[in-house]
Amino acid sequence: MQSPDPPTPLHVQQIVKTYQQGTAKVFALDGVDQKVEPGEFVAIMGASGSGKSTLLHAMAGLIDVDEGRVKLAGQDLSQLSDAALTRFRRDNLGIVFQAYNLIPSLTAEDNIRLPAPKRMAAKLDSIVEELLDRLDMTARRHHKPGALSGGEQQRIAIARALVCNPTILLADEPTGSLDSISGTQICELLRNLVDQQGHSIVMVTHEPHVAMWADRICVLKDGTNLAELRTDGCRNPQSVAHQYQQALGGEVAV
Ligand SMILES: Nc1ncnc2c1ncn2[C@@H]1O[C@H](COP(=O)(O)OP(=O)(O)OP(=O)(O)O)[C@@H](O)[C@H]1O
Ligand SMILES: [Mg+2]
């Protein structure tokens, strides 16, 4: 008998999110759709204020949406209680931010262990060993974040996001605080997670040389899907920048 197809890691349907700013109602998201397939790497681009972070936070269930549905691993997030959502998020979702968000008083290794539930205790040591090795951080495992470079801190943040083997990894400008060499190393690492481990990734960025590592680029404008760009595996930042500017009608410099 054939094994059933894995569930779609992430399916966002017609989501709307508004914020009240003084007397004005701002549509941060105004009917966004997005479907991420297993083993797919999707970048989200768009001008400042176009809704990228709001979309990522909605995908992560960190904010409620006004309308529409967010399905993670087949589960509609709006159907879960707060406690169930927290557990579901821990077990199915890894999230990485620009600012790393590591606990300064814990070593690199203990930061990685932090999200793991008790039931993982028996296998946690070997999972952490493997992550440290895969992310080339074994030699730095006992250092606290303050003694690590930005690139190293982000690698630890990625390892922490992967410790529960999530269905999907979400990253909001993961290279935004890094120099270009460390940023490229993080992009290569994310690409390898997709190619070698079959992870699914959604990454927000406004930089073509970062977005080019994805399979597909979703361009947002004013909280709506403006365009989908395909990278077709050629890592060409000029081509991405050109397509992106064309999508935006040449109105935003990158
Ligand atoms: N908590 C909030 N309260 C009020 N308005 C908000 C809030 N969060 C986002 N917005 C508004 O929603 C819109 C989209 O914001 P968002 O942070 O998603 O943009 P972004 O594309 O991530 O921008 P950037 O590239 O600057 O990070 C903006 O107009 C922003 O001012
Ligand atoms: Mg943002």
Side-chain angles (χ1 to χ4, degrees):
M1 213 172 74
Q2 275 192 322
S3 56
D5 290 338
T8 301
L10 186 68
H11 194 180
V12 164
Q13 292 165 290
Q14 283 295 302
I15 55 171
V16 174
K17 175 69 184 175
T18 59
Y19 288 108
Q20 200 66 37
Q21 291 186 1
T23 54
K25 191 174 178 183
V26 175
F27 280 80
L29 298 174
D30 194 5
V32 172
D33 290 307
Q34 193 57 239
K35 193 172 183 180
V36 181
E37 302 294 345
E40 198 180 21
F41 187 173
V42 179
I44 298 172
M45 294 186 81
S48 183
S50 58
K52 303 181 297 296
S53 294
T54 307
L55 176 58
L56 205 84
H57 292 168
M59 287 170 162
L62 293 171
I63 54 171
D64 291 330
V65 293
D66 302 350
E67 289 175 39
R69 255 194 333 184
V70 178
K71 273 183 149 185
L72 194 68
Q75 170 68 52
D76 182 344
L77 298 186
S78 69
Q79 303 298 308
L80 298 172
S81 67
D82 284 353
L85 177 61
T86 301
R87 278 195 305 276
F88 185 81
R89 215 193 280 122
R90 180 195 65 197
D91 293 342
N92 291 279
L93 180 82
I95 184 156
V96 176
F97 299 96
Q98 177 175 346
Y100 325 128
N101 295 357
L102 299 174
I103 307 288
S105 56
L106 296 181
T107 62
E109 153 167 11
D110 286 342
N111 266 284
I112 299 174
R113 291 173 184 276
L114 203 59
K118 280 204 181 73
R119 64 177 153 74
M120 281 179 61
K123 52 185 179 173
L124 190 55
D125 281 347
S126 63
I127 291 171
V128 172
E129 289 300 326
E130 197 200 321
L131 284 169
L132 284 165
D133 183 46
R134 204 191 302 155
L135 278 76
D136 200 18
M137 285 298 294
T138 304
R140 313 287 282 158
R141 65 193 298 166
H142 299 304
H143 291 271
K144 292 185 177 162
L148 300 174
S149 71
E152 288 172 337
Q153 289 185 65
Q154 194 59 297
R155 278 188 272 161
I156 294 299
I158 292 170
R160 178 184 57 184
L162 294 176
V163 75
C164 298
N165 193 26
T167 310
I168 193 155
L169 181 68
L170 304 179
D172 193 356
E173 308 221 23
T175 63
S177 301
L178 301 176
D179 62 70
S180 66
I181 293 175
S182 308
T184 300
Q185 286 171 346
I186 293 295
C187 292
E188 284 172 340
L189 179 89
L190 295 175
R191 187 69 243 175
N192 286 342
L193 290 173
V194 173
D195 292 342
Q196 293 168 13
Q197 312 286 324
H199 282 287
S200 309
I201 298 181
V202 178
M203 171 182 72
V204 166
T205 181
H206 55 263
E207 299 184 276
H209 67 269
V210 174
M212 72 180 184
W213 292 90
D215 302 308
R216 175 163 72 79
I217 302 168
C218 155
V219 183
L220 291 185
K221 185 181 178 193
D222 298 335
T224 62
N225 296 96
L226 178 68
E228 290 273 339
L229 315 178
R230 296 220 69 94
T231 59
D232 293 323
C234 51
R235 316 257 169 263
N236 183 340
Q238 282 84 19
S239 162
V240 170
H242 178 71
Q243 290 183 66
Y244 177 56
Q245 270 174 326
Q246 273 196 325
L248 291 168
E251 58 193 77
V252 174
V254 288

